[in-house]
Amino acid sequence: MPFEDAPVPARHVLTVYDAQAFRCVAGVNHGEALAVAETLCLGDSYRLDPKADPIRLELEPGTETDSYRVVAPPGMEPGRTVTPGPTLTVMTGTGATARVRSLLIEGETYVLPLGEVDLFAAQTLIALDTTPAPLPLADPTCLAFARGTRLTTAEGHLVPIEDLSPGTRLLTRDGRAAPVLALLGDSVPAIGRATRVVIRAEAFNNETELVVTADHRLFVPGRRSEIDPHAPDRMEPARKLVNGLTITADPGGRIEVFHVLLDRHDVIYAEGIPCESFLLTGASRAGLAPHLRALVEAAAPDLVHTPHPASVPPDLRPARPGPARPASGTAQAV
């Protein structure tokens, strides 16, 4: 009798932040990072470091009910136990309330936003709930381009993203004509990962302004020495490119956003700037709003993308093979 494959545990991806970057800016714990419930004080205000990187925490179920253990990211030891901490209710200076969750991973604390939370603005702790509760198992998936953003078609036309339709071919950075499989659109609060980032004309040699959400990634060639003179070609989230002059953040209100699903994760042109297309993974599919998930299921039910090479951190990319060495004793040309 042949052996059957063992079932693969369900995996879940959540976006978290290291609590060391989420520090008290006013109150009893001023200067301290978010910690366990015993040290938290109502009325303290916290803010996330603007340069803090989100961490894609991949989890699988543990041996106990509602328990989880770490699978990834690289650099975090697999198998570590995740202990859900208290749920915090926070309020901004404008009176908007939201919730965040603290996670304890073997002595280290992480912050998990629940829904749309602008952690980059000061958040005052107004309530603390230590009641045990299961973790949410899908991040909301954030779309990218503001209404009116013009994408470059394979024919060289600039077409507003909301006017695209399935079958329209877009020009990719490697010269491919990639057909649109689905156009995704939604209206969301312009806070947190969906904060508007405005890229002014000429910031990237673009003739007109481009507005994207904070977590959307732009293709940055290695020659952009003002960002990092030694980095290779890569994708960077728009929020990391904010300089207060030519690239600015504009939070607040709502934003109507769109994205394009192609046959693969690729680099396309928005207002002349190379940007990523929608990256379809199990996690991003699960995090879509139901009506958007239905569009994806109808257009590409079995599609799962391999991330574009430029979106992979340089230290995790496969090493390029070097030149072949001559055999021992073989003369070399000089």
Side-chain angles (χ1 to χ4, degrees):
M1 180 177 178
F3 289 103
E4 295 183 359
D5 292 336
V8 178
R11 292 186 175 181
H12 313 284
V13 178
L14 301 174
T15 299
V16 301
Y17 295 89
D18 189 333
Q20 291 298 315
F22 191 55
R23 292 185 172 269
C24 183
V25 293
V28 173
N29 289 304
H30 185 270
E32 298 294 324
L34 184 78
V36 294
E38 290 77 8
T39 64
L40 295 175
C41 293
L42 298 184
D44 281 3
S45 294
Y46 288 80
R47 176 182 287 157
L48 186 66
D49 183 334
K51 299 298 183 182
D53 285 321
I55 300 169
R56 294 183 74 254
L57 187 64
E58 188 172 345
L59 308 177
E60 66 182 13
T63 55
E64 304 294 331
T65 303
D66 290 335
S67 68
Y68 305 92
R69 59 191 177 203
V70 172
V71 178
M76 186 178 288
E77 185 180 348
R80 299 173 73 187
T81 300
V82 179
T83 304
T87 300
L88 316 178
T89 302
V90 294
M91 182 172 66
T92 66
T94 61
T97 60
R99 295 184 307 144
V100 299
R101 190 82 176 270
S102 61
L103 303 179
L104 193 63
I105 304 180
E106 297 190 5
E108 299 177 0
T109 305
Y110 295 84
V111 179
L112 169 65
L114 300 178
E116 299 292 345
V117 186
D118 186 8
L119 295 182
F120 298 102
Q123 302 280 351
T124 299
L125 179 59
I126 61 173
L128 180 64
D129 184 1
T130 58
T131 304
L135 293 176
L137 296 179
D139 260 344
T141 297
C142 191
L143 302 184
F145 302 104
R147 172 177 281 276
T149 299
R150 298 176 303 167
L151 304 189
T152 303
T153 68
E155 295 74 30
H157 304 305
L158 294 175
V159 179
I161 189 168
E162 64 271 18
D163 293 340
L164 296 175
S165 57
T168 302
R169 300 185 308 159
L170 298 180
L171 177 67
T172 68
R173 188 173 181 271
D174 61 4
R176 205 167 61 95
V180 173
L181 300 183
L183 176 66
L184 310 177
D186 207 355
S187 176
V188 298
I191 58 176
R193 297 161 60 208
T195 294
R196 296 178 200 83
V197 172
V198 181
I199 301 169
R200 311 292 179 189
E202 301 302 327
F204 274 80
N205 296 319
N206 48 307
E207 293 184 356
T208 54
E209 184 176 275
L210 172 64
V211 180
V212 296
T213 52
D215 263 9
H216 182 60
R217 293 180 295 185
L218 282 63
F219 180 87
V220 180
R223 65 179 178 272
R224 298 283 298 194
S225 59
E226 72 274 22
I227 298 172
D228 185 343
H230 306 294
D233 291 352
R234 63 211 182 276
M235 289 185 186
E236 292 282 10
R239 60 180 175 77
K240 293 190 72 172
L241 305 177
V242 170
N243 57 25
L245 296 173
T246 59
I247 305 176
T248 58
D250 180 22
R254 297 187 70 84
I255 181 172
E256 193 172 4
V257 284
F258 297 84
H259 221 325
V260 285
L261 174 66
L262 307 180
D263 59 335
R264 70 189 194 200
H265 184 221
D266 218 326
V267 178
I268 57 176
Y269 292 93
E271 300 298 350
I273 298 176
C275 301
E276 68 174 333
S277 62
F278 186 75
L279 173 58
L280 183 60
T281 63
S284 65
R285 186 191 296 262
L288 287 168
H291 68 287
L292 298 178
R293 190 162 57 250
L295 285 175
V296 171
E297 293 293 343
D302 301 317
L303 180 62
V304 176
H305 285 150
T306 298
H308 188 280
S311 70
V312 179
D315 57 340
L316 299 179
R317 298 178 192 175
R320 293 184 178 180
R325 296 184 177 182
S328 178
T330 302
Q332 285 183 268
V334 294

